[in-house]
Every structure is written in structure tokens, then in C-alpha cells.
Amino acid sequence: MKNRNILVTGGAGFIGSHLVRLLVNKYPDYHIVNMDVLTYAGNLANLKDIEAKDNYTFVKCDICDFEQVKAVFATHNIDSVIHLAAESHVDRSIKDPFSFAQTNIMGTLSLLQAAKFAWDGDFKDKLFYHVSTDEVYGSLGDEGFFLETTAYDPHSPYSASKASSDHFVRAFHDTYGLPTVISNCSNNYGSYQFPEKLIPLFINNICNNKPLPVYGKGENVRDWLFVNDHASAIDVIFHKGKLGDTYNIGGFNEWKNIDLIKVLIETTDRLLGREKGASDQLITYVTDRAGHDMRYAIDATKLKDELGWEPSLQFEEGIEKTVQWYLDNKQWMEHITSGAYEDYYNEMYKN
Ligand code: NAD
Ligand code: DAU
């Protein structure tokens, strides 16, 4: 299809802004409508370079506001949705599970209903693409990988809410025939990530000589993917994914937290021109996250074999680029870490 009117939700956030940029630049014949309510995590400064493009429109809207969402479908003749809007931080979900259920479950339901209403049984050339997480699969032991067939076993309010939203998407496919596709991705890193997440938080603290709060013993394992590679995988799945199907996205790139933190310290100190080991003493072991999943590891073989997607970057190169970006964009970080962020930080890390 040459022309599409794609509704991207959560496009002012971390992954959403990278996806919007990719789509707007790569597909001048597509119209990208970015729906975002601009929570603390949404930032239009993430999209400065493309905001004036003819094929881009921003709409400030809460995905839970069913009437407004329906109106956006009608006004822009939306034929596809790529749904990323969510409350996304596990620690916040432990403190306030209600807002996660509201946005991630009820918000997804509101979008599904709006799509069903707008498309009214004519599903030709329509698509509802739901962006989800590997956390729905729970936690692994020392061995094995999450497959698309792995049973759901979420442990945090965040992952429980994402699991529920995935179930609603499948239910709309099976019950109403809505054309859907889901992807479940591992941990992302890169530019424009809100500094509540491990990598930007630690880079910022290293720069400011602040303690680096390592949860538990730092032995939990995460599987890291460069955010631009997640965006390119979404592009491939959007265009070639099989309706009703699920695709895991990951880079076969597992790191124990403490080893990753040492790489972050080494890279940041080096790029700042500090002596090797200068920031090692900032490592501070703190109380573990409640219900902390031990290990995530994605098997992305299906995506490679069926749709030909592979990550473009080695981790060392991605981390170097990422640290350099935060060092080059101090104003972006300072703007975000003023005001409400300080209250969040002091409350979250008071022990
Ligand atoms: P983020 O927190 O950086 O951005 C979320 C965006 O959603 C923000 O712009 C926010 O303003 C918007 N939003 C929140 N509630 C909204 C509402 N009610 N209505 C409209 N907009 C709303 O999140 P992210 O890290 O970019 O994650 C995006 C998606 O990808 C999420 O669905 C998340 O579950 C999923 N995901 C994230 C990762 C990761 O490592 N960050 C990995 C796999 C999957
Ligand atoms: O796996 C995909 C998920 O990855 C996404 O669905 C989530 O939206 C995203 O936030 C991320 O979840 P994690 O909980 O894995 O990411 P986070 O950056 O919060 O933490 C990464 C690891 O680092 C985790 O084991 C907890 C640990 N950690 C985190 C913070 C913020 C610390 O040790 N100290 C910290 O201060």
C-alpha cells in the first residue's frame, strides 16, 4: 500500500520518538499521527527535527479518552495503529499500580474499540500493531530463552498490565477478526530515554559524581537492544508480519547488571577524560526491587527466519554512541531532571 494514515501512540516517549522519526523520514507518502498525552515521560523536544514535516501531525490526547480517540480516527482517516503509549517503568508500577492498569489495560481497550468502531468490519488494508515487552514471560533461570510460545508469567504490576493488554489484543483478533500483530521486545537503550531507567540514570549520575544505586547484588540479567534496532524491527513487522501473530524482538545480548554498569563507568569516564577507575567508588548496593525478575533472554530466531530482521549494531558500538549522545545533550538531560524528577528521585532512592 503506497499511502497510509498511521496512528502512533506514545510517539513523544523514548521508543515512540525513534519510531516516529524513522517512519516520517522513510515514508514521505505516509501520514504519521502521533497521539500522546505528554505524561512526565513524553517530551516533544524528542521530535524537534521532524515536527515541521508535512507528513507528521501531533495530537495531544489520552488514549483512555474513548470519544476523543474515536474523533482522531475519523478526522485523520486512520487505517493503521502502532500502539506504544504506556506507563513503562517497573519501579513506578510498584508504587502506583492503578495508573498502570488504567493506561496499559483500559487505554489499550479504548484504542481497540475505537479501531473496531472506525473500521466497522471492513478490515482490508487495516492493522492494529501492539508493542509489548518480554517481561510478560516472567523470569528465566540460568538457561533457556523466551520463545513466542512461552507461557505468560508476569510478576510486576507493570508486566501484569502489559500481559493483560496483550490478551485483549488477541481477544479482539479472535472474537471480532480485528487484524492485529504483537511484538515482545527486550530492554532498549539509546538516546532520549527518560533517566529513571538504568542506563541514562547511571550515565547522568556518573557525570554528576552521584552514587550509582545497584539493586540487590547486581546479578540480574537483561538482554539489551539498541532502540533504533527496535524501531527497524517494528517497521519490518508492520509491513511483513503475519496477521494474528506474535514476534519476539531481541539482540542475543545478555548482560549481568553489574558488568554492564562497569562498562558504563569505563566508557563515561573515558569520554569525559577522567582517569580509569575514577568513578568506581560510586557503586552503591541498595535494597533490591520487590519481585525483581532474575533473567530475561529473548530468542528472536522467528523474526530473523520469517521476516529477515537482524540487529544492526554490536553492543560496544551502541553503548559508546549512547554515552556520547548524553554527554553531547546535557541541556536535554538538565531540562528533564529539573523540577518533578528531583522529587521522584529523592522518594525512590531515599533508603
Ligand atoms: P516511555 O515511558 O518512554 O514513553 C511512553 C509514552 O507514552 C510517553 O510519551 C507518554 O507521554 C505516553 N503516554 C503514557 N500514558 C499515555 C496515555 N494515557 N495516553 C497517551 N499517551 C500516553 O516508554 P518507552 O520505553 O518508549 O516504551 C514504549 C512502549 O514500548 C511501551 O508500551 C513499553 O511497554 C514497550 N517496551 C519498552 C521497552 C523498553 O526497554 N523501554 C522494551 C520493550 C517494550
Ligand atoms: O525488558 C523490557 C523492559 O525493560 C521494558 O518493558 C520496560 O518498559 C523497561 O523499563 C525495562 O524494564 P527493566 O526493569 O528491566 O529496566 P530498568 O532500566 O528499570 O532496570 C534494568 C535493570 O537494572 C533491572 O534489573 C533493575 C536494575 N536497576 C534499575 C534501576 C533503575 C538497578 O539496579 N538500579 C536502578 O536504579
Side-chain angles (χ1 to χ4, degrees):
M1 230 173 106
K2 197 165 155 44
N3 299 307
R4 304 203 74 134
N5 295 320
I6 307 176
L7 178 67
V8 176
T9 70
F14 166 48
I15 301 167
S17 61
H18 284 279
L19 178 69
V20 166
R21 179 175 299 102
L22 181 155
L23 295 173
V24 164
N25 287 330
K26 186 169 171 186
Y27 301 105
D29 290 338
Y30 291 3
H31 180 207
I32 308 303
V33 178
N34 172 14
M35 177 187 286
D36 198 302
V37 78
L38 302 179
T39 67
Y40 76 92
N43 185 355
L44 289 178
N46 298 358
L47 289 165
K48 270 258 160 296
D49 53 324
I50 57 106
E51 68 185 3
K53 296 258 187 178
D54 289 343
N55 64 336
Y56 172 72
T57 303
F58 173 70
V59 181
K60 187 162 190 253
C61 172
D62 185 338
I63 56 167
C64 302
D65 184 341
F66 183 54
E67 292 307 321
Q68 203 188 340
V69 172
K70 274 202 300 188
V72 171
F73 268 81
T75 306
H76 297 285
N77 197 17
I78 296 298
D79 53 55
S80 325
V81 178
I82 309 181
H83 172 37
L84 296 98
E87 288 294 338
S88 69
H89 190 38
V90 174
D91 293 327
R92 288 188 194 252
S93 82
I94 294 167
K95 290 212 180 300
D96 175 22
F98 275 121
S99 61
F100 282 69
Q102 175 65 14
T103 296
N104 299 357
I105 305 173
M106 296 310 289
T108 301
L109 186 52
S110 154
L111 286 165
L112 286 164
Q113 275 285 76
K116 179 161 81 69
F117 178 85
W119 299 339
D120 195 21
D122 175 9
F123 294 145
K124 188 171 173 320
D125 295 328
K126 307 291 194 304
L127 181 63
F128 190 106
Y129 182 158
H130 178 58
V131 175
S132 193
T133 170
D134 60 357
E135 300 202 9
V136 298
Y137 298 124
S139 182
L140 293 163
D142 289 343
E143 309 241 310
F145 293 90
F146 296 136
L147 293 166
E148 287 81 357
T149 49
T150 301
Y152 276 29
D153 182 23
H155 298 136
S156 72
Y158 163 68
S159 53
S161 67
K162 291 296 290 187
S164 174
S165 66
D166 293 10
H167 292 321
F168 269 107
V169 173
R170 289 197 183 95
F172 267 63
H173 174 266
D174 296 349
T175 306
Y176 308 111
L178 198 77
T180 62
V181 70
I182 300 178
S183 59
N184 296 83
C185 188
S186 60
N187 285 63
N188 285 213
Y189 70 96
S191 53
Y192 298 111
Q193 187 169 28
F194 193 86
E196 63 191 350
K197 308 282 166 58
L198 180 78
I199 289 184
L201 189 147
F202 276 39
I203 295 171
N204 190 39
N205 282 13
I206 296 166
C207 290
N208 294 305
N209 288 306
K210 283 175 70 177
L212 305 175
V214 181
Y215 296 163
K217 294 181 180 156
E219 285 176 351
N220 304 65
V221 174
R222 296 292 182 266
D223 183 356
W224 294 93
L225 182 70
F226 195 52
V227 63
N228 301 72
D229 281 331
H230 188 184
S232 79
I234 293 173
D235 178 19
V236 168
I237 295 167
F238 177 80
H239 287 97
K240 301 205 290 190
K242 207 169 117 217
L243 294 185
D245 223 338
T246 296
Y247 298 88
N248 279 353
I249 309 173
F252 291 103
N253 179 42
E254 290 179 55
W255 284 81
K256 204 182 263 193
N257 287 344
I258 192 65
D259 295 335
L260 170 64
I261 289 160
K262 285 177 183 161
V263 172
L264 283 179
I265 293 174
E266 190 280 320
T267 310
T268 309
D269 277 348
R270 178 167 43 77
L271 294 177
L272 283 172
R274 291 180 184 164
E275 253 175 56
K276 195 168 169 23
S279 301
D280 289 353
Q281 88 289 351
L282 296 176
I283 291 178
T284 309
Y285 291 92
V286 299
T287 310
D288 207 355
R289 173 185 278 174
H292 199 172
D293 286 334
M294 183 44 82
R295 175 171 167 256
Y296 302 147
I298 277 277
D299 184 339
T301 308
K302 174 177 171 180
L303 184 53
K304 181 177 175 214
D305 288 354
E306 292 188 11
L307 306 187
W309 176 88
E310 279 187 276
S312 68
L313 267 193
Q314 290 302 310
F315 187 61
E316 289 67 19
E317 192 186 346
I319 278 292
E320 186 94 8
K321 278 187 179 202
T322 299
V323 174
Q324 191 64 61
W325 187 88
Y326 287 102
L327 299 185
D328 291 344
N329 289 275
K330 285 215 171 80
Q331 268 186 325
W332 180 90
M333 183 63 90
E334 279 161 12
H335 180 68
I336 278 195
T337 51
S338 60
Y341 179 80
E342 254 179 77
D343 298 337
Y344 162 81
Y345 195 91
N346 292 335
E347 174 62 23
M348 187 65 74
Y349 295 100
K350 64 185 171 204
N351 297 317

